Amino acid sequence: SLNITFAEPVELCIRWQKHHAEKNLVDIGFEICSISEQSRQQLVELIHSDRLGGQLKQHSTILSLFGGHRQNGNTATILGWIEDDLKTLGHRVERINLVDKKVNGCTSCLECKKNFHSPGCVQKDDFMSIVGKMLKSDIVIFASPLYHRYLSVQMRALFGRFNCLYRGELGTVEHTSFVEGQLQSLILTSVNPYEAYAEQIVKSFQRTLQLGKTHSAGKLIVCDCTSPDELNGQIRGHAGAFTEQLFITRTVPYSLLIPRTKASIPAFVP
């Protein structure tokens, strides 16, 4: 319902993907191919504008799940900025460092599917304690660096165990979720361009949102960055704006990929 006028031509690339296994489900998005710095800033301001609607819920409970090994690395630095901003806004924030927890991979025994009243798993590790905290949170932030095209091993194991949170097949009336309606967010950092590896992780996360019947609270993807020294003030500004929009709910989800530059502009994907 909002309009924006650019001072010069802007080149867009429209992309869509049909899901063969499901009826009437199509992902549609666009990529900005050619844009000036002035117009790029117009888009950023539009995305971060309070006019997009929604209310910031005060004193919310936020759980951040950090999947990296480096406590002072890129992902930890950006996540720390967001956590500090959330605390300043009056929210309760708890971080779980997955490297300090024991989370085994899913064995596909399907024992969890036998209980329709609560999630559960027969494995005796730290996974269910993490799930317990998730169920009590208003928003869950998943933060991980990309290692050789993939999420960290700890984060992959965690996502693999989320099968216990769902019942029934996606798209059927039997499909239910114990985290339905929850806001979930994704933060990624990568030394590679967005199109190389991060794009596939984002698509996979969208599938996770569908299975969990959860809502996207935003995705912040910072690419082409090899060390925390490269996290300049501009990226810090993106992290602050990202924090402010976490609780803005939208009827129609959308995504925006901002082209990278030598300044390591992050891809901002609400």
Side-chain angles (χ1 to χ4, degrees), residues 186-232:
L186 179 67
I187 299 173
L188 299 177
T189 63
S190 174
V191 299
N192 299 110
Y194 175 80
E195 301 87 346
Y197 308 130
E199 186 174 18
Q200 298 303 316
I201 301 299
V202 169
K203 290 180 179 179
S204 178
F205 182 70
Q206 288 297 128
R207 182 73 171 184
T208 300
L209 294 175
Q210 292 177 335
L211 288 170
K213 291 190 171 184
T214 54
H215 304 299
S216 174
K219 308 175 193 71
L220 183 61
I221 321 297
V222 180
C223 299
D224 300 290
C225 192
T226 58
S227 71
D229 294 336
E230 296 182 16
L231 299 177
N232 53 39

Side-chain angles (χ1 to χ4, degrees), residues 49-188:
S49 172
D50 291 336
R51 292 177 298 169
L52 286 174
Q55 297 293 326
L56 185 65
K57 182 180 177 182
Q58 296 297 322
H59 308 300
S60 297
T61 299
I62 295 95
L63 176 67
S64 65
L65 299 171
F66 175 56
H69 289 78
R70 301 180 182 88
Q71 297 301 316
N72 296 312
N74 294 329
T75 311
T77 299
I78 294 173
L79 180 60
W81 289 339
I82 293 171
E83 290 171 337
D84 290 343
D85 290 344
L86 286 169
K87 292 175 183 177
T88 299
L89 292 171
H91 302 291
R92 297 180 294 272
V93 181
E94 178 181 358
R95 179 193 292 194
I96 294 179
N97 295 316
L98 296 181
V99 293
D100 298 329
K101 302 295 181 179
K102 181 180 179 181
V103 179
N104 301 319
C106 178
T107 63
S108 193
C109 68
L110 301 182
E111 286 296 318
C112 59
K113 300 298 185 181
K114 297 179 181 180
N115 186 347
F116 287 88
H117 303 290
S118 63
C121 184
V122 296
Q123 297 194 62
K124 305 302 180 182
D125 57 11
D126 296 320
F127 174 71
M128 285 309 302
S129 65
I130 295 175
V131 168
K133 293 181 180 295
M134 286 181 61
L135 296 177
K136 297 177 181 179
S137 301
D138 298 299
I139 183 170
V140 177
I141 301 174
F142 301 96
S144 174
L146 294 187
Y147 295 140
H148 307 292
R149 304 185 184 185
Y150 303 106
L151 296 169
S152 68
V153 172
Q154 291 76 14
M155 189 64 76
R156 276 185 281 164
L158 184 71
F159 276 111
R161 296 281 290 279
F162 283 164
N163 192 41
C164 76
L165 298 175
Y166 326 130
R167 299 292 182 270
E169 297 295 328
L170 180 65
T172 67
V173 294
E174 293 80 15
H175 180 212
T176 60
S177 168
F178 294 109
V179 289
E180 181 173 353
Q182 186 179 72
L183 291 170
Q184 296 184 350
S185 181
L186 179 67
I187 299 173
L188 299 177

